[in-house]
Amino acid sequence: MIKFPHIKCLLRQPRLWLFMVLLSCCVSPAWSGNSAEYQFKAAFLYNFTTYTEWPAETGSTLNMCIYGQDSFGDDLDKLQGKTVGDRQLSVQRINELNRLADCQIIFIARSANDELPQLLNTVKGKPVLTVADTPGAASLGVILNMGTYGNRVTFEANLASARSNGLRLSSKLLKLATQVLR
Amino acid sequence: MNKLRLLGALLPSHCQPWQWLESEHLLSIIPGFRYGFMGLLKTELRRFQTGTVYALLGAAMLGATTAQAATDLFQLSLEELLSMEITSVSKKGQPLSEAAAAIYVITQDDIRRSGMTTIPELLRMVPGLHVAQIDANKWAISSRGFNGRWANKLLVLIDGRSLYTPLFSGVYWDIQDTLLEDIERIEVIRGPGGSLWGANAVNGVINIITKHSRDTQGGLVTARAGNGEKSASMRHGSALGGNGWFRAYAKTVDHDNFVDSNEDDSYDDWNQQRAGFRADWEPTTQDTLTLQGDIYKGDSNQETGYLADLLSTATFEQDTIKQDGGNLLFRWRRTLEEGSEFELQTYFDHAERKDITLGQKIDTFDLDLQHRFQATEFHEISWGLGYRIIDDDIDSTFTVSFDPATRHTEVYSAFIQDEIRLRDNLRLTMGSKFEHNDFTGFEYQPSARLLWLASQEHTFWGALSRAVRTPARTDEDIRINIVSFSSPFVDPDGPGPLPVGATSLLSILGNKQVKSEEVIAFELGYRGQPRSDISLDISAFYNDYDNLVTGETSFLLETTPAPDHALIARSFDNQLQGVSYGLELVTSWQVNSNWRLHGGYTWQKLDMKLDSTSTDVNNAGDREDTNPEQQFQLRSHWDINDKLELDVALYFVDSIKPRDSTGLVNVPSYERLDMRIAWQPEKNLELSLAGQNLLDDQHPEYFSSDISPTEVPRTLYAQIKYLFE
């Protein structure tokens, strides 16, 4: 039998554990992180792209643009270069309406709410998946809108907007949406 | 060295740290140095052979993690994301990918697609757990060894309510049920969870979490019929005003019997009826109030070991276990500012169980308070207080008796934990539970866990913990009279003059001096994504046990009941120690958007050693012999189209040698194949066919010396599930 006599002996000393706990309180490290909510929302954003079908003429890169103040931080950068079907994702932060022309996915942050109608007008009829996390955004024409219900992230879909933008949302996605506007 | 000596001032003289720094023990820590590395490797390789194919299969393509345990959330499917709380896991919330422990989650989707119909059966999906059926209504379930009908090193909870019976700190699995459709997920932590959860979380914690009543609105009717069971259940949920929700359910199940080795029916069919409710109210955005409860009643047949009195012959008697009970739980959760949460929970549980050998009534009252807050930018503190009262009332028989017949016990506990962000990608969690119980007094259960997020794809963790199993009523107060026989009593050191042919009685006796069983556990783990569609979760453990309970033999002369007889007493004591070690591999592979594979492989070994003073004849060997050295599983979930699902699961469990009434019996290794096909013609209607154990007519999984041996037959059923407004 493999034994650790002295280590075991140490580990059975309550005083040592107490000492270690006290010691740990003096440690002051450096850290900054993003909220769990946006880690989840980033994962939803990625999933949305996999359940959306862009027109065949769309190029080999899907530009995912964050419009407004970015709450995802570096969590979203993990998507950089990830493949969706035969296309590659590219994450961009954009804060000017006239630079959105190359985007296939636009996430409209809450900070950009005032510009929402104008933005939707800009991309209307173009193969762009609009995503937001502002209550009521779907009824304004945003295709997928995330919300939180209790401690969970949910989403609603605006199928009419998706169609007018020439996108196909998979039936599975629609099945899982809390509400589908037709 | 001076610093070490300073540290040494805190410690007793026999336990100074430099002793081992200066001794040869430093090298002996590494197993290879002690035994010769190649020798060790060779021995292990030889033992590996039976399951090599499975091991290779497991390592090469599948393995295990659920998606949740993957390094990042991007691995999760939409269904899984929707079903997860932003903060989940253990006492405080945290994404699973960031837990420094061997965690596996069974999701509602896994439950639905498994085709399994009871909570204990669902646990077969957890790599590393050993789930074995003893008869149709009894299971032996354990994590990392020490399995048996009376397995007692696993803590099981449903919505924060402890499910193990305080009588022997094991679980009566047949009464643990709810509407499986209402379970949100089952989180299983392998390894010690004592620092948060307290005593009995020695080798694992199983936490069953039911859905918020908001998520179970509308009606659901499920009916099932087949050669294994017939059941019907119904649930209805509705809103209570603008921010309250409610659901109620009722369920009745008739389980068929198993068979014995001669293919005859065994006497172990069972039925159960239960009903329950859950209400959630959110008066403000910060507060959630939950009230939930269940009542149940059931009859389980069994053929159990029985000794009527001193002069009778021990037999297996056909008997019915009558059980009923209920519980009521209230929880108030308040979210304070960002990252801070407060929770108060209290419950009452009443359980009655009566069979030919014993009657028991147990009332449990529990109060639990927890608070978590961000103390500084780098320290997140969780702390809590707990109080539990247990009152029991035992109806003894000659076979099983408790002295005293009723007992009132109390447990006070407190825990504190600090999660420290050492660096951007390095987290240290330290904490301990402190608890006072009426059996052994004060207990402490500390742990230290380190998590390193090495890159986006790779996470490593390690943990060091101490956990205890505190004695239960059984350890102190029980007496089981197993068998009486007439034999010449020849032990010269025996209890004195008894005529040849005098009656002898073999009994198990509790012992008031029994101490807590203790483990010190070392764990290492890795979670990662070698490819974007494959996740991999590997954990290794080395557990060092001390004070494990044994049955020490002594011979006494007993005069009551008459006639005078020799008592061969096997009294509980703590004379076993040893180690267990093993490796658990979990992977999942998203082959394409319609097909997902899960795989798991477990290898574990126990090495037990009785103290030289021990007179226990069985215990060390039994612990080793009931451990399946290797287990393997492969599950496939395929969406044929929008309406059709096909699920296949294959399980392999290595051979074990449990002890039945005749001695050690070989239970050969077995493969188990489960299949399910489901058709969803409408969004609210699902028809499915499922089969279990399709590969053979019947096979044994476990024997328990107090239950007549049975085998698990092949079962098939058809099910209809209908949702309405």
Side-chain angles (χ1 to χ4, degrees), chain A residues 105-118:
Chain A
I105 302 132
I106 303 178
F107 177 83
I108 307 119
R110 286 179 192 168
S111 69
N113 270 345
D114 295 347
E115 299 166 71
L116 188 63
Q118 208 189 338

Side-chain angles (χ1 to χ4, degrees), chain B residues 347-549:
Chain B
Y347 68 80
F348 173 75
D349 186 286
H350 173 78
E352 289 188 30
R353 186 179 181 99
K354 187 166 179 58
D355 70 6
I356 192 174
T357 62
L358 189 73
Q360 43 181 292
K361 287 184 193 143
I362 299 170
D363 288 322
T364 307
F365 169 79
D366 185 278
L367 183 68
D368 200 36
L369 179 123
Q370 291 169 33
H371 180 212
R372 171 168 64 92
F373 63 99
Q374 198 73 42
T376 73
E377 196 184 344
F378 315 111
H379 293 270
E380 189 185 85
I381 310 276
S382 312
W383 64 277
L385 297 171
Y387 175 55
R388 185 175 293 176
I389 307 174
I390 299 157
D391 273 302
D392 61 39
D393 185 356
I394 309 290
D395 241 343
S396 295
T397 65
F398 183 74
T399 312
V400 184
S401 54
F402 278 77
D403 180 29
T406 66
R407 198 161 163 184
H408 169 95
T409 52
E410 295 181 12
V411 180
Y412 311 84
S413 66
F415 82 90
I416 182 152
Q417 175 177 289
D418 184 7
E419 184 181 319
I420 310 150
R421 308 209 176 240
L422 295 171
R423 284 176 42 197
D424 220 10
N425 58 357
L426 205 57
R427 288 172 208 172
L428 175 68
T429 308
M430 296 200 61
S432 180
K433 182 127 188 169
F434 304 95
E435 146 174 333
H436 183 276
N437 68 77
D438 290 348
F439 298 96
T440 57
F442 173 76
E443 296 284 356
Y444 69 100
Q445 304 191 75
S447 80
R449 296 178 180 272
L450 189 68
L451 181 79
W452 176 36
L453 303 154
S455 73
Q456 284 167 24
E457 289 84 22
H458 307 287
T459 305
F460 297 88
W461 60 270
L464 181 60
S465 17
R466 175 188 190 268
V468 295
R469 185 194 69 92
T470 53
R473 262 279 249 165
T474 308
D475 298 83
E476 290 205 348
D477 303 332
I478 203 171
R479 171 161 180 171
I480 308 173
N481 294 324
I482 301 171
V483 63
S484 71
F485 49 97
S486 103
S487 72
F489 193 74
V490 290
D491 188 341
D493 303 325
L498 274 175
V500 168
T503 303
S504 295
L505 178 64
L506 174 66
S507 303
I508 291 176
L509 296 184
N511 172 5
K512 302 263 188 285
Q513 312 306 323
V514 166
K515 293 179 283 211
S516 289
E517 299 182 299
E518 179 192 44
V519 65
I520 301 231
F522 305 79
E523 293 174 279
L524 279 177
Y526 162 82
R527 269 183 219 115
Q529 277 174 268
R531 263 175 37 188
S532 65
D533 53 349
I534 292 181
S535 70
L536 185 64
D537 182 337
I538 303 170
S539 39
F541 66 92
Y542 179 91
N543 288 350
D544 194 327
Y545 296 90
D546 222 343
N547 289 333
L548 291 170
V549 169

Side-chain angles (χ1 to χ4, degrees), chain B residues 319-372:
Chain B
D319 169 47
T320 303
I321 311 167
K322 299 249 173 217
Q323 39 201 1
D324 60 88
N327 63 78
L328 190 66
L329 178 142
F330 169 74
R331 183 171 49 237
W332 170 34
R333 188 178 284 161
R334 165 161 247 198
T335 316
L336 307 160
E337 66 271 14
E338 185 70 32
S340 171
E341 199 174 66
F342 162 87
E343 190 180 296
L344 179 75
Q345 177 184 283
T346 180
Y347 68 80
F348 173 75
D349 186 286
H350 173 78
E352 289 188 30
R353 186 179 181 99
K354 187 166 179 58
D355 70 6
I356 192 174
T357 62
L358 189 73
Q360 43 181 292
K361 287 184 193 143
I362 299 170
D363 288 322
T364 307
F365 169 79
D366 185 278
L367 183 68
D368 200 36
L369 179 123
Q370 291 169 33
H371 180 212
R372 171 168 64 92

